[in-house]
Amino acid sequence: KIGKRCFISPENGGFREIDFMDIGDDAVLMTPHIHAHYTDHGTLQFCGIKIGDGAVCNAGSSIMPLTTYGDGCHLRPFTNTLKGQHCEAGAGYYGNPAVKVLPMRPKAAVLFPGQGAQFIGMFDTLIKFKTAAALVARASEILGYDLHAVASAPHTADELNDTAIAQPALFVAELAAAEMMRELRPEEMECAVYAAGFSLGEVSALVFSGALSFDAGLRLVRMRAEAMKSCQGGAMANLRGVRRSEAHRLARESGATIANFCVDFGDDGPWEKNIYVLGGDPVAIEKLVASNGSSAKKLRTVAGAFHTRQMAPAQKALRRAVKAAPLVMPQRCMVYSNATGEPYTSVSEMRKLLVRQIVAPVLWHRIVLHMQQQERVARFIEIGPLNQLSKMMGAMDTSAAETMIASHDVAK
C-alpha cells in the first residue's frame, strides 16, 4: 500500500509485480517502471508492468499501454485507458465487469460562473427537467422560500441581485443546469474530470465533484452570502485593455484593489485582451470609472467589493461555516482553488482557502492555463446562467472558445 502524499524517486527502484497497490491521494511516483502524477484526481500512468490482483486505479487515472490487470482489479470512475491493454475476467471498468477496455476519451473541464450571471427567468427552462426541478424544490425547502418565484417576474433584477438572494439562487441554478446537461449532453459530461468555479461557482464545483452534498453546499452558500452581504458598502468595476502594471497603478491611484484576474496576459502578451475587475469603496470605483471611461465600467449586478479586504469581517462567520461543512476530497473530478489557481490537495487546504477566497483575488486565467498546459484539457463546458466564462475564454484562447459548450446555449 502506498500512502497519501508519498514520493518514490527512481533511486527507490522499479516496481515490476505488485500483489496489491492502492495509491493514496497526491502520491507521486517517479520510477523506471511507474509514473504517477496527481493520483486520484489527475493523471496516473503505469508503463510496462503487471498490476496484481486487487489493485486500485484511482479516479482520473490515465493508464498507459502494455499493462495487464489481474483478477478483481478495479478501475474507478473516470479512469482513462488506452488501447493495448488486457483486463482479466472480474476486472471492473466504470464500475462494470469487463474483459476489454475502451480508447481514451478527451479530457473536459466544467466551469461554473460567479455572482453577476443571475437573471430573472433563469429557472424557467431548468425546471422542465425532472432532476433539475427536484433540486430547485429541495432548495426552496431548505431556504424557506420559493426560489423559482424569487427569480421570476414580477420580481425585479434589483431584488435578485441582493447578495443574500443571488448567491443561493445562482448556486442552485448552476447545479440544476449540470443535471440538465447530464440528460442532454451525457457523453461530454462523462468526460469532465476537472472542475472550477468563479468565486461563488467554486462551491458549485465542489458539490459537482462530490466533495460536498447539495444540501450542505446550499447551507454553506447561504451563510457565505449573508456574511458577505453584511460587508456591503463597496462596489466593483471592469477594467479592460490595459497592461497588468497599468491596472495595478490605476488601482493604487483610485484606492481600489484588483479583485479578479479574469484575462491576464500581463504586460508582454496581448495585453489589449486583458480583463480585470477592481473592487473598493464606491468613491474609489467612481473615481476609477470617471478617469478611465473608455476602459472601465461599473458592475451593476454585484453589491459589494468582493475578493478584497473589505470582505474581511465576513471571514469569521464563514470560517465557522466551512469548519462545520462535511467536506471530503473530490470524488469525481479534480477541483481548482480561486485563491491559488491550482487544484486542491487536501481537505484542510480546502477549508483554509475557501475562507481566504473572499478576500483574495480570483486567479481565473491561471486556472484555465493550468488545465490546458498541465492537465491537457481538450474541452471546456460552462454550466450555469448566461455565458460569461465563454466570453472570457474567447479573449484567452479563441480555439478553445470555438469548441466550448455553454449550458445556457444548450437550453435554448
Side-chain angles (χ1 to χ4, degrees), residues 37-60:
H37 178 61
Y38 287 134
T39 60
D40 257 1
H41 310 289
T43 301
L44 173 64
Q45 298 178 328
F46 300 99
C47 301
I49 64 167
K50 179 182 183 298
I51 301 177
D53 296 349
V56 177
C57 302
N58 288 324

Side-chain angles (χ1 to χ4, degrees), residues 236-280:
M236 305 188 83
N238 269 327
L239 183 63
R240 296 171 175 264
V242 300
R243 292 180 171 86
R244 185 196 301 159
S245 59
E246 179 72 359
H248 281 295
R249 183 185 68 79
L250 293 173
R252 285 194 307 271
E253 291 180 354
S254 63
T257 303
I258 300 179
N260 305 156
F261 290 83
C262 302
V263 180
D264 179 30
F265 288 103
D267 287 7
D268 300 324
W271 56 266
E272 64 277 1
K273 296 182 179 181
N274 287 349
I275 303 174
Y276 305 103
V277 175
L278 278 63

Side-chain angles (χ1 to χ4, degrees), residues 84-239:
Q85 301 170 347
H86 173 72
C87 288
E88 295 180 8
Y93 183 79
Y94 286 88
N96 299 312
V99 293
K100 63 181 179 179
V101 296
L102 303 175
M104 185 173 67
R105 298 179 298 177
K107 297 178 182 179
V110 292
L111 308 177
F112 296 91
Q115 189 172 343
Q118 70 277 357
F119 67 92
I120 293 295
M122 65 182 178
F123 288 112
D124 292 351
T125 298
L126 295 175
I127 60 172
K128 296 177 182 178
F129 298 86
K130 185 177 180 180
T131 53
L135 285 185
V136 177
R138 175 58 182 159
S140 296
E141 291 178 13
I142 294 173
L143 295 171
Y145 57 83
D146 187 334
L147 190 59
H148 180 212
V150 167
S152 303
H155 290 277
T156 66
D158 286 342
E159 292 175 285
L160 181 59
N161 291 343
D162 182 314
T163 299
I165 300 295
Q167 290 194 17
L170 186 58
F171 167 83
V172 176
E174 290 175 350
L175 292 166
E179 293 301 318
M180 178 197 73
M181 288 292 285
R182 285 190 175 107
E183 183 172 337
L184 296 180
R185 306 293 285 267
E187 292 186 3
E188 286 92 342
M189 293 297 284
E190 285 178 3
C191 292
V193 291
Y194 304 91
F198 198 106
S199 187
L200 163 73
E202 187 171 321
V203 184
S204 303
L206 288 169
V207 172
F208 177 85
S209 76
L212 196 61
S213 70
F214 175 79
D215 288 11
L218 179 57
R219 292 188 176 97
L220 176 60
V221 166
R222 178 172 59 183
M223 178 61 73
R224 179 184 189 270
E226 291 172 353
M228 293 175 73
K229 181 180 178 179
S230 69
C231 302
Q232 282 185 338
M236 305 188 83
N238 269 327
L239 183 63

Side-chain angles (χ1 to χ4, degrees), residues 310-355:
Q310 289 199 19
M311 292 292 113
Q315 285 186 292
K316 184 177 181 180
L318 181 58
R319 185 175 290 106
R320 288 197 300 267
V322 169
K323 183 178 181 180
L327 283 161
V328 298
M329 280 301 292
Q331 304 296 300
R332 304 185 189 98
C333 56
M334 182 156 54
V335 179
Y336 281 72
S337 164
N338 282 194
T340 64
E342 297 181 358
Y344 282 116
T345 59
S346 68
V347 171
S348 60
E349 183 184 44
M350 289 160 59
R351 295 191 191 281
K352 178 177 69 175
L353 294 180
L354 282 172
V355 176

